[in-house]
Structures are given as structure tokens and as C-alpha cells.
Amino acid sequence: MAQVPQRFFDALAVRTWCGLSLRALGRAREEIDAINVYPVADGDTGTNLYLTVESAAAAVEAVFAAHEAAEGPRDANEGPRDADEAPLDPVGGPSLGDAVGAMAHGALIGARGNSGTILAQLLRGMAQVLAARGDSAHTEGPGLRRALRHAAASARQAVAHPVEGTVLTVASAAADAAEDVEGDCAEVARAAYEGARAALAATPGQLPVLERAGVVDAGGHGLVTVLAALVETFTGRAPGPVGAPHARVEHARREEPATDGDDNGDENGDESGPAFEVIYLLEAEDAAVARLRRRLDALGDSLVVVGGDGLWNVHVHVDDAGAAVEAGVEAGRPYRIRITHFGHGDAHTAGTERPPRERAQRAVVAVVPGEGLAALYAEAGATTLLARPGEPPASGELVQAVRRAHAREVVLLPNDAELRHTAAAAAEQARTEGIRVALIPTRSAVQGIAALAVHEPERRFDEDVVAMTSAAGATRHAEVTVAERQSWTTAGICQAGDVLGLIDGDVAVIGADVSQVAATVLDRMLSAGGELVTLVLGDEAPPAVADHLEARVRDAYLAVDTVVYRGGRQGALLLVGVE
């Protein structure tokens, strides 16, 4: 079905652009994933860009749905708006500012990976210019030119150490080409696309790792795809294929020798790069974010911090994932934390002899309830998905976590009894994509810790799963939390504010003191025996509770060891495991 062209850049054009971009990235996702060699050859740039735009498109659709619900559908007798007709008055639908603001916010909260985070800032930069027009219903060619220029500049500012031959170069080239055009939105969009396409073809001559692999920059390829969708928005016709990114790119090389990367030190995709990718949303003030940038820059590389107005998306590659999360805690409130462990041998590329799409043989994917546990699991080699209190992950998020693990075999640890069906659905979806997935029905993060402790990737998959399942099943679990309201429980009636001790999911103790309830829970668990006690403290737990419990175990239970972890904002005051 032919796309009806939009003459003006208005709310409807924003909606159309998002939809076309999403479809185009869906078609190009695997191709872009396959050429992803910089900054890390983890084969997920196309997927990350798709998910980022998917979030942006959903936010725009929500704005339109809200207006349609409030105003009712447009009168059918009016007929469709002609492409040459001026946009409707914003009172009758979303304004341009509403639509681009939603697009930028959706991309920000849904940004994935390095390229997705940069794309989110590009869209935010455009929105800052277009939304500055207030309640204006539309903009034309000059406004689009200014938006593209500001987008390129703001994205470059968001990256700690900009490198040429990347999506930043492609964005700047698009803005430069648009500057030279005096025309309507269609002409500006086409010029930006052609400028970006030419810059993309030249990226191998600017970045040695691309030249060795014989590919163009994956993030730049994604941006050209998005700009092609912008052309289609205004012309009704896609401008054609982006190019042949898998072909050797001798024609794109510069006549002079390629840069040796001395300015930045990481253009060569050195295989000694950091072990973890850390991404989180952050609620923080500007001054705190400035300090955060400096601290994270000292910890790792590929640092991109985008956003503003109190909400930020932080992306960095580090060796110490815990330190990166702690830096966010000091700056404000981090959430939706994702920590990915780059698999040995396929995380960084050092030459064309290593296939960029090589998968690890096996990985562990775990849902965890707090930042501290996320860092602990990640340092043990797991790919983590953070579950905030009251915000359980959807099956699609679990599927994406399995994809991020980039392995042929995956062991999935839901760490919550209520996630059993969600995790099972995610496992089934991943299996249809050719990934062998084993779901271990862990009901608590402490059971997941026990399973991860015996994980051995070198042994047969079935043997590894059996050993991990056995370790998890041999771990009794409990938690200490605070009742939110009056309720009937298996231990009697509790009131709001009471301290509850739950053993294996059932309320076993009701009290007023955290330490006393925790001690009673621990005694009941150890009455059946045990060799190791695991304590995971939440941020709101009394500081002395761990010392009190450790002393109790030491004095009353011979030959029982205790290990204590800090879980962060995990919901429960205390998690307890006995194995």
C-alpha cells in the first residue's frame, strides 16, 4: 500500500515517520546486527535501534490515542486531509510539540545499547527545536534543517569521546547536506538522506576496525535507514536500499592512509576492552549528572549520557559494573538497570579473522530485584534484567535479555514464583529463534545465587542445568518485609507497618522489630539444618541487622558460614537463603 506523502512536518508526519522507521528497521535489523563490529562486536545494534524506535513510536501512538479519546474521532464527512492542506488546528489533535516530545521521551526511556542511546539524543535534539515553536501545528523546510543541525550537535555533546566514522559522523553529514538546501521538507529530508548515505560509505576509511572487517558502521547504517523513512514520510516513496554493507568496501577507502586512532585510543576495537555494558535510567539534577559523567569516564569507555529535565539515560562499558551502578546511586535514582557481560572471545574484535556474529556457547540470564544484586550477578558472568518493586518484567523484556546474552544455550533464572509463566513464555519465544533455553524455576534471588555458584559452562548443557537446579532446590528462601496494609496471613492478621517474615513464600512471623523477626525466621530455617546462610540487605534495612544475624549464627550454629551482600533498592528489607 502506497504511503500518502506529508507536505508539512506536523504531528501526523511524526507519527508516520515513527511507523515507517520501525518497519524499515525491522526489515534491516538482522543485516545491521551482522555488521556490528564497533565499539563492541556483540551483534545487536540493529535490534537495539529497533527497540529504541519501537518505544518512541509507542509513545507517539499513546499521545494520539489520548487526544482521540478526549475529542472523539474526526467527523467522517470531513474526509481525509489532503497532503497540500495545512495541518489541523492543534486543539483538535496533538500539536507538533506534543508529538515530538512524546517521540523523544519514548526513545529516551526505551533506548538500548550505544547506538540506540545516541539515536535517542538525536531525536531529543530535533524535539528541542521543533517543540520550541510552542503550540504551532507544523514546521516546514527551514525548521527541519534547524532540527537536524541541533540533533547532530546535541548527540555529539552527549558522547564523552566522539569518534569519527560512527553514527555521529553520519548525523553531522546529514545536517551539513540539509543546510545547503532551500526547499520544503521533502527536499531537506532527501538532502539529509543523501548526505548521510555518502558519509556512511566513507566510514571504513575513518575507522580501522570497520576497514579490516570490510563493513560500514552499523549505527550509521541504522540512522540512514531512519532518514530514508523520513524521505518516505514526505514523498510517499522510499528512496531505495541503503547500500551493500556486507561487501568489501575498497571503493569507500580514502586515498590517504587510514587514521591510526591515536586521538581516542579505542577506534581499533581492541579486544582488551571492558567486560560489561551498563545501562540505566537516572532521575538526577544537572549538576549531579556532570559529576557522574566525570566518574564514569574514569571507569570505562563508550560513555553516552543523554536526556535532561531530570531524566537521563546512561550507557557505559566498564570492568566494574558495581562501581558504575553505585555512581548512579550517588547521583540520583537509577532504575531499569541492565548489565550485560560481554562473552569471552566475541565481545571485542581485533581483526577480520573473528566473525562479528559469533555467539558464546552458553550464558545465564537472571531477573534480579536490586542494583547490588544486578552487579553481583553480572560479575559472576550473568546477563541481568532488573525488576523494580511493583514493576515485573514482561515476557518481551525477558526475550530481549536472552538475545542480549548472545549465546547458543541459555539458562534462565526468573528468581520469582510470580514470573514462572512469564519466563516460560519468554523461553518458548527464544526457542523459536533457535536458542536452546532451560528454565530453572528459582523463586528467590538467593536460589539464583546458589544456582550460579555451581554453574560450569564447560560441562554438558543438561548436566549444568541439573546441577544448577539441584543447588537452587536445596536452598530454602525467606524474606523480611513491611506490611503495606491490614491483611489476613498464614500467621494471623497483620496491620500496616508490621514487620513480616516470609519463609518459602508464606508469612511465618509477624512482629514489630526487624532484627527480632529476622532472627526468628533464621532460627526456624536452620532448625532443619544448613551449611551456608546468605543474607541480602536492602537499602532500608537497619544497619545493625546483618551484624546481629551473623553473631547469632556464629554463636548458636556450629559449622554454619554466613555471607552478606548489599542488594540496593530490592523491595524487601532482607532476603535470606539457607543451603
Side-chain angles (χ1 to χ4, degrees):
M1 182 176 178
Q3 174 63 43
V4 177
Q6 306 295 318
R7 178 179 177 186
F8 303 98
F9 199 4
D10 61 356
L12 184 57
V14 174
R15 186 186 201 181
T16 302
W17 182 31
C18 286
L20 290 173
S21 294
L22 189 62
R23 288 195 287 276
L25 286 170
R27 293 190 297 269
R29 180 181 62 81
E30 291 187 1
E31 181 180 48
I32 296 173
D33 281 346
I35 63 170
N36 173 200
V37 298
Y38 181 85
V40 177
D42 49 358
D44 62 358
T45 291
T47 298
N48 287 337
L49 289 169
Y50 177 87
L51 291 170
T52 301
V53 173
E54 182 180 48
S55 182
V60 173
E61 289 300 322
V63 167
F64 271 86
H67 275 271
E68 289 168 3
E71 302 293 336
R74 191 181 184 192
D75 189 339
N77 292 327
E78 296 179 23
R81 196 188 88 199
D82 187 82
D84 291 330
E85 179 187 343
L88 297 173
D89 187 273
V91 173
S95 69
L96 174 60
D98 290 336
V100 295
M103 174 185 71
H105 181 75
L108 176 66
I109 64 174
R112 304 295 182 97
N114 193 308
S115 293
T117 307
I118 293 173
L119 177 61
Q121 187 66 8
L122 286 166
L123 296 179
R124 177 179 171 81
M126 291 186 69
Q128 287 175 322
V129 171
L130 299 173
R133 298 176 60 85
D135 289 333
S136 175
H138 74 283
T139 192
E140 299 187 36
L144 180 56
R145 286 202 309 270
R146 290 191 297 272
L148 291 168
R149 170 56 62 202
H150 185 66
S154 62
R156 192 169 286 268
Q157 290 169 0
V159 178
H161 300 285
V163 173
E164 298 306 328
T166 66
V167 62
L168 298 176
T169 305
V170 175
S172 295
D176 290 343
E179 288 282 1
D180 296 332
V181 174
E182 294 291 340
D184 60 15
C185 287
E187 293 173 282
V188 171
R190 185 176 293 282
Y193 165 76
E194 294 295 348
R197 191 167 181 266
L200 176 65
T203 55
Q206 297 172 294
L207 204 54
V209 65
L210 300 179
E211 187 171 40
R212 288 196 301 271
V215 297
V216 295
D217 179 66
H221 187 303
L223 179 58
V224 172
T225 301
V226 170
L227 289 173
L230 186 64
V231 174
E232 186 177 359
T233 297
F234 296 119
T235 65
R237 180 178 299 177
V242 171
H246 290 289
R248 295 299 302 178
V249 288
E250 300 292 337
H251 64 281
R253 298 179 183 176
R254 294 177 175 176
E255 294 181 2
E256 67 269 28
T259 175
D260 61 7
D262 288 344
D263 290 340
N264 208 321
D266 60 358
E267 290 91 333
N268 293 302
D270 187 359
E271 64 180 349
S272 62
F276 301 101
E277 178 185 59
V278 179
I279 307 173
Y280 49 81
L281 291 178
L282 177 70
E283 293 177 358
E285 300 298 326
D286 290 3
V289 171
R291 293 191 295 271
L292 175 66
R293 289 179 192 269
R294 292 191 292 271
R295 181 167 177 186
L296 292 179
D297 193 27
L299 287 175
D301 61 30
S302 296
L303 174 61
V304 185
V305 181
V306 304
D309 301 321
L311 180 61
W312 309 82
N313 191 308
V314 179
H315 171 282
V316 67
H317 294 173
V318 294
D319 282 319
D320 190 342
V325 174
E326 289 170 6
V329 172
E330 291 179 6
R333 187 179 82 88
Y335 60 103
R336 292 195 186 179
I337 299 170
R338 295 188 297 275
I339 301 175
T340 303
H341 180 265
F342 293 128
H344 298 295
D346 71 342
H348 296 266
T349 180
T352 57
E353 70 280 0
R354 178 175 297 155
R357 287 286 290 165
E358 181 182 356
R359 291 181 176 271
Q361 181 60 32
R362 189 175 307 159
V364 176
V365 173
V367 181
V368 291
E371 299 91 342
L373 281 174
L376 174 68
Y377 271 72
E379 287 168 2
T383 296
T384 64
L385 178 63
L386 188 70
R388 301 297 306 170
E391 300 178 13
S395 62
E397 292 178 279
L398 281 171
V399 171
Q400 176 57 16
V402 171
R403 291 171 181 154
R404 283 193 289 119
H406 206 56
R408 298 181 182 90
E409 302 168 338
V410 171
V411 180
L412 182 58
L413 306 175
N415 292 337
D416 187 336
E418 295 184 0
L419 286 179
R420 181 183 60 182
H421 297 300
T422 301
E428 281 300 315
Q429 174 61 37
R431 291 180 188 121
T432 66
E433 299 176 10
I435 304 171
R436 188 180 185 187
V437 182
L439 171 61
I440 298 179
T442 49
R443 294 175 290 169
S444 170
V446 292
Q447 289 188 321
I449 291 173
L452 199 55
V454 301
H455 169 54
E456 291 185 13
E458 292 77 19
R459 63 186 165 198
R460 292 179 57 248
F461 184 65
D462 291 339
E463 293 176 355
D464 197 28
V465 171
V466 168
M468 295 176 72
T469 302
S470 178
T475 302
R476 298 186 298 283
H477 65 94
E479 69 177 77
V480 177
T481 188
V482 176
E484 296 181 356
R485 57 187 174 274
Q486 184 185 60
S487 179
W488 288 88
T489 76
T490 52
I493 299 175
C494 70
Q495 304 295 327
D498 282 348
V499 180
L500 306 180
L502 290 79
I503 300 178
D504 293 331
D506 294 323
V507 176
V509 183
I510 301 174
D513 182 79
V514 174
S515 293
Q516 290 180 0
V517 170
T520 302
V521 165
L522 191 56
D523 286 341
R524 292 192 185 184
M525 297 178 74
L526 286 172
S527 66
E531 298 176 353
L532 176 66
V533 172
T534 300
L535 303 175
V536 183
L537 294 177
D539 278 352
E540 298 181 2
V545 67
D547 292 339
H548 175 72
L549 294 176
E550 283 187 285
R552 188 177 188 86
V553 172
R554 185 171 55 249
D555 295 341
Y557 302 95
L558 297 177
V560 177
D561 294 323
T562 305
V563 60
V564 180
Y565 301 111
R566 300 285 173 178
R569 297 182 179 91
Q570 62 185 23
L573 298 175
L574 177 70
L575 300 178
V576 183
V578 173
E579 52 186 297

